[in-house]
Structure formats: C-alpha cells, structure tokens
Amino acid sequence: MQLMALANEARAAAGAAPLRWDNALAEAARKHCLRMAAEGPIAHRYPGELDLSERAGLAGVHFDLVEENVAIGPTPSVIHEEWMHSTGHRENMLNPDVDRVGIAVIASRGVLYATADYAHGVQVLSQTEIEKHVAELIRPSGVAIGGSTPAARVACTMENGVPRSSGSMQPLFVMRWQDSDLSHLPKELADQLASGRYRGASVGSCEPSGAVGTFTAYRVAVLLY
C-alpha cells in the first residue's frame, strides 16, 4: 500500500515508529471510503453514519485513541502530499501515540477517494489475564499476592466500600481504577505498597463502568491487607 509506505517514510523522518497494518481498521476505512465515493464531497461523517470511534469499534478494533484522514486526489502520492501540507492531517499521520493504520482507496469519478484510520491499539485481555498482569506489577513490592480474588472482583464492581462476609479479613486499603494502560500501577497504590504497612494483596477485575463506548478499557480493584 503506497500511502502506508509514504506515511512510514514521513514518520521515520520525524522520529516516530512505523505504523503496523490493521485489518479491522482497514475495514472501517473501507466502509467510510465507499460512502465518500457514493456521496462525492468528502467528509468524516455523513448523515446517518456512525462516528469514527463507533465505526472502528464495530469493525473489531481495540483502541484507546483513534484518528482519521480523508482526501480526494489523482494519485496516492498527491494525496500524501495533501496530508503532509495540512496541519491536522500531518499531525494525525505523524502522531507518535498511534501505532497502527488501516487505509482504503477507491477510484470513482476519475479520482481517488482515500481514508486512513490511525489508532493506538490496546491488547485484549481476559479477566484472569488482567488480574495476573496487575499481580506481577505488585510482586516486586514484596507484598504477597493472595487473599480472596472473588472479594476483589466484587469490590471492583462497587463504587466504594468492600464486600463484607463473616470470618473474612477486611482490607486496610482499597484501590479501584479504570484505564486502557496496564503498564504501571496508579501512583497512590504504588505509594501504599512502598509504605511497608501491608503484607498481602488480592486483585480483581470487572467490566469497565461509565461511558467507555467503543474504547477499550480495564477496571481493576486491589485490596491490601
């Protein structure tokens, strides 16, 4: 795909990592490109059409950031130059925070219609995988991972407080958070782990809450004992 090759050349010159091809993004771009070719005048959204994040999510993309470039031109190289000389389109293409792309080009009316959808992909993890990942982040603190995972899972679904059951140890500290990035622990939790006050922890994950929409996010609770 010439537009992808040109984009990665421009990203290399700007010091950004190359984009990887994403079939789901390409499908979202293809459907929008078909609509552009049918309409004639280009746009990011037409009456009755889903917005970009909804189109990407419906196509099966898992992301926490998504952007789009559209254009009409005689050749891919001309379209690339149009994007490079438009501030917003150039920023989308060279954004170091996006790591994948899907592109569609359709010939119609003697010109090329092009759509490029860029995204920062998010790994899809199961409930157990999320909990294991967070546990590995906790382990270097020396706090033992154990306790009641079911209790942590229930706590994850609550806005505040903890589930109470007779005979079970009550946590001294509870941390809940929701994010698409599981590469590090929240600072408040990291500070608590570093305090030396705790000997054990349990981790639970649950469905994200609030208006997440089609963006991928994880919700986690950590109970410290």
Side-chain angles (χ1 to χ4, degrees):
M1 169 64 73
Q2 187 177 355
L3 281 173
M4 181 177 176
L6 291 169
N8 278 336
E9 288 178 10
R11 287 175 66 87
L19 298 169
R20 302 194 304 274
W21 183 261
D22 187 291
N23 287 329
L25 275 174
E27 176 60 17
R30 185 187 70 84
K31 288 183 176 179
H32 183 67
C33 208
L34 285 169
R35 182 68 183 270
M36 287 202 307
E39 295 282 349
I42 63 173
H44 287 285
R45 188 179 185 183
Y46 296 99
E49 186 182 29
L50 298 175
D51 68 21
L52 172 59
S53 65
E54 292 172 314
R55 297 197 310 266
L58 190 63
V61 185
H62 297 276
F63 58 92
D64 59 7
L65 170 65
V66 64
E67 304 171 335
E68 183 175 75
N69 282 358
V70 296
I72 183 172
T75 65
S77 59
V78 169
I79 289 172
H80 174 75
E81 287 304 314
E82 289 177 1
W83 287 343
M84 286 295 289
H85 288 89
S86 167
T87 301
H89 293 89
R90 178 186 174 91
E91 288 177 351
N92 286 346
M93 188 193 308
L94 303 185
N95 187 348
D97 292 330
V98 299
D99 59 8
R100 58 197 64 193
V101 67
I103 300 173
V105 178
I106 293 174
S108 180
R109 298 182 175 90
V111 293
L112 298 178
Y113 289 82
T115 300
D117 288 344
Y118 311 92
H120 178 261
V122 174
Q123 187 177 8
V124 182
L125 300 174
S126 68
Q127 183 181 39
T128 300
E129 288 171 334
I130 294 167
E131 292 164 353
K132 286 182 178 179
H133 184 83
V134 174
E136 289 305 312
L137 295 176
I138 293 173
R139 208 171 302 282
S141 71
V143 174
I145 307 298
S148 174
T149 296
R153 288 179 174 177
V154 173
C156 181
T157 67
M158 302 168 64
E159 290 300 319
N160 49 63
V162 293
R164 292 187 174 273
S165 59
S166 59
S168 62
M169 183 183 301
Q170 293 301 302
L172 302 174
F173 177 83
V174 179
M175 180 76 195
R176 301 175 181 84
W177 75 98
Q178 186 166 303
D179 203 339
S180 59
D181 181 5
L182 289 182
S183 64
H184 60 277
L185 298 172
K187 184 179 185 305
E188 183 180 1
L189 177 57
D191 290 344
Q192 291 290 331
L193 290 168
S195 70
R197 294 197 295 266
Y198 308 101
R199 295 293 176 265
S202 61
V203 180
S205 72
C206 58
E207 289 296 315
S209 63
V212 176
T214 54
F215 289 82
T216 301
Y218 308 111
R219 183 171 173 84
V220 185
V222 171
L223 281 54
L224 299 181
Y225 302 90

